[in-house]
Amino acid sequence: MTPVTYDNESTGKFNFINLNTGEKEIPFGEYLFQRILDCGTKSVFGVPGDFNLPLLEYLYEPQLLEQGLRWIGNCNELNAAYAADGYSRYSNKIGCLITTYGVGELSAMNGIAGAFAENTKVLHIVGVARSTDSRCKDFKNRNLHHLVPQLKDSNFLGPNHKIYYEMVKDKICCSAEYLEDIHDACNQVDKVITDIYKYSKPGYIFVPADFVNMTVPTTNLLKKPTFTMENCIVSNNEQDIINITNTILDMLYQSNTPAIIGDVLTDRYSGKELINRLINETHIWNFASVNGKSIIDETNQTYMGLYNGEEGPTAVKERFLQCDLILNFGVDINEINQGHYSFSYKPGCKLIELHPTYIRFSTPDNGKEQIFKGINFIHILKSIVESIDVGQLTYQYPISVKPFCTEELNFKHDSNSEIITQTLIQNKFIDYLNPGDVVVCETGSVQFAMRDLVLPNQVKYISQGFFLSIGMALPAALGVGIAMQDFPRSHISNNCESAISESYTPRLILLEGDGAAQMTIQELTSMIRFNVPIEIMLWNNNGYTIERAILGPTRTYNDVMQWDWTKLLEAFGDFGKKETKSCTLETPIQLIEKMAQLKNGQKDKMIELIEVKLQTLDYPKQLRHMVESAKVKSAGLFNK
């Protein structure tokens, strides 16, 4: 390799020509950031640390800045992981974070595990010790800071330099590469990025601090200039796709009451527009899932509600049990998404599960099944949309059944009440939203209140519905807001029947609990720093209400310290109170008036924190139902 002279004070790096091969070369640090841009990502989250500082210097290369690359510094590494997760959930591109060896990467690990559990595309770049430290005999036996010493004889035996890599590889990531040979580094980077798109799960790259200044050829940049979902999951099973498509179409043509479930992986694999096109063209009954909420346009003519087995509304279950064929696109099977495994089907119903790694045909009541592995469902979905003959569909849906609507939930709110309740929120929340808005919902009691509400057209709803890490939503909302800056209105389809006006700027709304907020509250300062307009509905119910619903409703372990929430934004950076607003709401009329004000246009693009006072033991009925179904509540838990 041609040597590089690295000058910290220089304003730019130079490209080199390898005299042996004649290939153009660039510093590896530049290559890595160029690849991040090539996969569609513009903003990088993280926290600086001694082993990643040389890499971070390359963020400021003029040729990279011109392409929109920017650094979003976070208050801690866990929040950076959550923010990268939120960035990916909104943009469906790769969310990227950079941390340092050990102390940084371990802090981020919970956020990465959540992204793995919920199939979110996140790239975690870890700056590690110099290659000489990890390989050279003179250094590898030294106890290096940020590394944990050996359990025994640590004064004689050096640490395991790859211990953190071994912790995550094949456990909470789909791909991990610890770079040890600069000649292989470019291919390793490209492999991790490809795998992230292929599996829609996090990937890791461990970068030695001295690698970033070494030069690498630009060959890969020319061979594959961009990474997209499409060019990372190319299918070699064309005939299988045709055969499976024809089988599914034949089953649809013979079905009297078919149904579609739009599950979470449909969104992760960029199938949202396809599935809505299929629904709009065929008018097949369709259902949302807990983790896939808002993927299907819930205002379509044949939307039948969110199906979650025994934990969902009776009216939705009754509709679902009339269906003789179920196509579950992007299926993700877990206890939350499957109503604690309480899904039931009409006798004789045929079930087709369409997953990124398999297509499964089964009859639930007799256990018969046929599985085709190695086929990504997104190819099947696209093929169905392109091939279906609507004229051959012969439905016999009951004419008395109408599309599901929020009014069917029968929220009984006392109009004379002087306190804000969960039922009031459920009654009024949909009116608060505009078509095209973006809602990020925290793990907590209000998360259950949102499940069954029928969302307006093209509202994007983001929530960690399965991993359920309390505190995730606030920094994730930062990531969503940054993604909305990088890709304005990217969640809005121009092909939708109900178009969103080009003049409308979608609002970002965070539904946050007081207990959860205290875990990750620091990122409020990042929202101010990076000018992320957001409406924060802070539901103050005096602690961990969702945990109270499970056990210990009056125990002190579910209490938190009370804060003066309306002073936080000033303390976190808006010293002149010019960029933020805060208020406290205690009565129904205050909440209703505030929602109407926000709905009708916050033209000043402010950050607004609205503290909403709730009763400590006020649970939405969906949360009560879930706890009862899961059989984890103690006797008399809900007796007041």
Side-chain angles (χ1 to χ4, degrees):
M1 286 289 175
T2 303
V4 167
T5 301
Y6 181 72
D7 181 1
N8 244 355
E9 301 301 318
S10 65
T11 58
K13 308 296 184 295
F14 295 93
N15 295 323
F16 298 88
I17 300 297
N18 187 309
L19 297 179
N20 295 322
T21 65
E23 290 182 308
K24 182 179 179 181
E25 295 188 349
I26 59 175
F28 177 71
E30 181 181 337
Y31 180 92
L32 183 54
F33 283 124
Q34 183 60 57
R35 274 331 213 177
I36 290 171
L37 288 164
D38 291 344
C39 67
T41 300
K42 296 182 180 179
S43 296
V44 177
F45 301 91
V47 177
D50 46 2
F51 289 116
N52 67 31
L53 292 176
L55 174 61
L56 297 186
E57 281 295 307
Y58 282 89
L59 283 162
Y60 306 99
E61 291 298 295
Q63 61 269 32
L64 299 176
L65 293 175
E66 289 172 4
Q67 297 175 67
L69 185 68
R70 62 172 172 166
W71 170 253
I72 307 295
N74 296 97
C75 298
N76 61 53
E77 292 86 357
L78 174 60
N79 288 353
Y82 287 150
D85 186 322
Y87 187 94
S88 178
R89 286 177 191 247
Y90 176 79
S91 66
N92 212 19
K93 302 181 187 299
I94 292 177
C96 181
L97 73 150
I98 299 178
T99 66
T100 197
Y101 213 10
V103 291
E105 60 181 297
L106 291 178
S107 294
M109 191 176 289
N110 179 58
I112 301 299
F116 183 88
E118 301 223 343
N119 305 285
T120 308
K121 293 177 278 293
V122 173
L123 172 59
H124 188 177
I125 299 172
V126 182
V128 302
R130 296 176 302 167
S131 56
T132 53
D133 292 337
S134 61
R135 291 186 297 168
C136 178
K137 185 177 180 180
D138 292 339
F139 293 94
K140 68 180 182 181
N141 285 329
R142 299 180 180 183
N143 283 314
L144 194 68
H145 70 287
H146 296 342
L147 276 173
V148 292
Q150 297 283 358
L151 174 62
K152 298 179 180 179
D153 296 327
S154 63
N155 285 344
F156 304 99
L157 300 175
N160 178 1
H161 282 253
K162 298 174 72 173
I163 187 169
Y164 307 125
Y165 162 80
E166 293 169 0
M167 283 183 182
V168 301
K169 181 175 169 55
D170 300 325
K171 298 177 180 70
I172 60 167
C173 65
C174 67
S175 188
E177 295 288 339
Y178 195 107
L179 307 186
E180 295 182 283
D181 186 335
I182 193 65
H183 296 89
D184 299 328
C186 293
N187 289 337
Q188 289 176 287
V189 168
D190 291 6
K191 177 186 180 299
V192 172
I193 292 174
T194 299
D195 286 346
I196 292 172
Y197 269 122
K198 182 178 179 180
Y199 297 104
S200 194
K201 288 184 182 291
Y204 276 82
I205 302 174
F206 294 81
V207 182
D210 55 338
F211 269 31
V212 301
N213 302 323
M214 297 180 186
T215 59
V216 294
T218 59
T219 308
N220 285 11
L221 301 179
L222 300 174
K223 286 183 177 179
K224 190 170 185 176
T226 60
F227 291 87
T228 64
M229 183 71 72
E230 290 73 22
N231 66 25
C232 289
I233 57 169
V234 177
S235 174
N236 296 318
N237 304 298
E238 293 301 327
Q239 190 57 51
D240 287 341
I241 292 172
I242 293 171
N243 294 340
I244 291 171
T245 299
N246 289 336
T247 299
I248 293 173
L249 290 177
D250 287 342
M251 294 175 73
L252 274 171
Y253 297 149
Q254 296 172 32
S255 170
N256 293 323
T257 52
I260 289 171
I261 298 177
D263 214 337
V264 59
L265 295 176
T266 306
D267 185 52
R268 301 290 193 264
Y269 283 85
S270 301
K272 180 177 179 179
E273 191 160 324
L274 284 170
I275 197 170
N276 281 291
R277 178 180 162 189
L278 178 62
I279 289 168
N280 291 333
E281 290 181 0
T282 63
H283 303 296
I284 294 174
W285 276 15
N286 52 94
F287 298 82
S289 70
V290 169
N291 289 348
K293 185 167 181 61
S294 83
I295 292 173
I296 287 175
D297 175 9
E298 298 178 6
T299 64
N300 79 72
Q301 298 176 24
T302 50
Y303 178 67
M304 296 295 150
L306 187 151
Y307 182 62
N308 197 36
E310 296 298 327
E311 294 180 15
T314 300
V316 176
K317 180 182 175 182
E318 290 174 348
R319 288 169 164 89
F320 191 82
L321 291 177
Q322 296 185 58
C323 299
D324 61 12
L325 174 65
I326 307 294
L327 279 69
N328 194 332
F329 288 102
V331 59
D332 188 27
I333 299 175
N334 59 67
E335 64 171 351
I336 303 300
N337 212 30
Q338 301 276 309
H340 287 86
Y341 294 97
S342 65
F343 271 31
S344 56
Y345 303 89
K346 179 181 180 178
C349 173
K350 305 295 183 182
L351 173 63
I352 306 174
E353 296 174 355
L354 298 107
H355 186 269
T357 62
Y358 69 87
I359 310 297
R360 177 175 180 254
F361 296 82
S362 67
T363 306
D365 58 2
N366 65 21
K368 293 182 179 179
E369 68 176 22
Q370 185 177 20
I371 299 179
F372 298 87
K373 294 188 176 181
I375 299 174
N376 192 305
F377 81 98
I378 203 69
H379 300 303
I380 304 295
L381 174 56
K382 182 179 180 181
S383 181
I384 291 173
V385 170
E386 293 174 346
S387 306
I388 194 165
D389 180 359
V390 177
Q392 293 192 55
L393 297 170
T394 55
Y395 307 143
Q396 295 180 23
Y397 293 124
I399 58 175
S400 60
V401 178
K402 305 300 181 186
F404 183 77
C405 61
T406 301
E407 287 72 22
E408 290 188 56
L409 298 171
N410 297 317
F411 298 126
K412 297 178 181 178
H413 169 65
D414 181 2
S415 58
N416 296 317
S417 173
E418 295 185 359
I419 61 172
I420 298 171
T421 63
Q422 294 280 358
T423 52
L424 173 68
I425 294 169
Q426 289 177 303
N427 270 293
K428 300 298 181 183
F429 187 77
I430 295 303
D431 292 336
Y432 164 52
L433 300 177
N434 290 318
D437 286 341
V438 180
V439 178
V440 180
C441 186
E442 181 63 84
T443 294
S445 56
V446 174
Q447 185 183 42
F448 287 85
M450 295 297 109
R451 281 186 175 185
D452 301 310
L453 302 181
V454 178
L455 298 176
N457 174 42
Q458 302 206 65
V459 163
K460 187 170 183 67
Y461 178 83
I462 296 171
S463 188
Q464 195 182 65
F466 170 53
F467 196 67
L468 299 171
S469 182
I470 294 176
M472 182 265 189
L474 194 151
L478 167 67
V480 172
I482 295 297
M484 292 173 71
Q485 292 176 353
D486 287 352
F487 312 100
R489 293 170 56 96
S490 67
H491 69 292
I492 294 176
S493 171
N494 295 325
N495 298 323
C496 184
E497 293 180 0
S498 302
I500 308 298
S501 171
E502 292 289 342
S503 64
Y504 182 67
T505 301
R507 298 146 64 207
L508 173 57
I509 299 166
L510 169 63
L511 309 181
E512 182 68 29
D514 60 320
Q518 290 192 12
M519 294 185 175
T520 51
I521 196 68
Q522 306 99 312
E523 294 311 321
L524 282 181
T525 194
S526 300
M527 293 176 181
I528 297 170
R529 179 183 178 188
F530 296 105
N531 302 307
V532 175
I534 187 169
E535 298 166 19
I536 304 171
M537 286 286 179
L538 193 289
W539 313 111
N540 187 347
N541 43 23
N542 304 304
Y544 304 124
T545 295
I546 189 171
E547 310 295 4
R548 298 185 198 276
I550 297 171
L551 192 64
T554 60
R555 296 296 192 191
T556 55
Y557 58 68
N558 282 324
D559 296 340
V560 299
M561 187 68 178
Q562 290 301 299
W563 288 4
D564 189 341
W565 294 95
T566 60
K567 294 180 180 178
L568 286 181
L569 293 171
E570 181 180 3
F572 282 150
D574 186 21
F575 306 128
K577 297 183 180 181
K578 296 179 179 179
E579 301 174 25
T580 67
K581 297 178 182 177
S582 298
C583 66
T584 298
L585 310 179
E586 300 189 44
T587 67
I589 189 63
Q590 289 177 336
L591 177 61
I592 293 168
E593 289 178 351
K594 188 63 181 179
M595 284 180 163
Q597 174 205 330
L598 295 170
K599 175 185 176 70
N600 293 327
Q602 189 183 32
K603 306 300 183 184
D604 46 10
K605 296 184 178 182
M606 301 282 282
I607 299 171
E608 187 152 1
L609 189 153
I610 303 101
E611 178 190 13
V612 182
K613 294 280 193 176
L614 295 172
Q615 300 300 296
T616 303
L617 299 179
D618 181 14
Y619 318 129
K621 66 179 182 180
Q622 290 93 335
L623 176 55
R624 295 173 184 260
H625 194 178
M626 185 279 288
V627 173
E628 291 167 355
S629 298
K631 299 179 180 178
V632 295
K633 72 182 183 70
S634 63
L637 176 62
F638 295 116
N639 295 333
K640 295 184 179 180

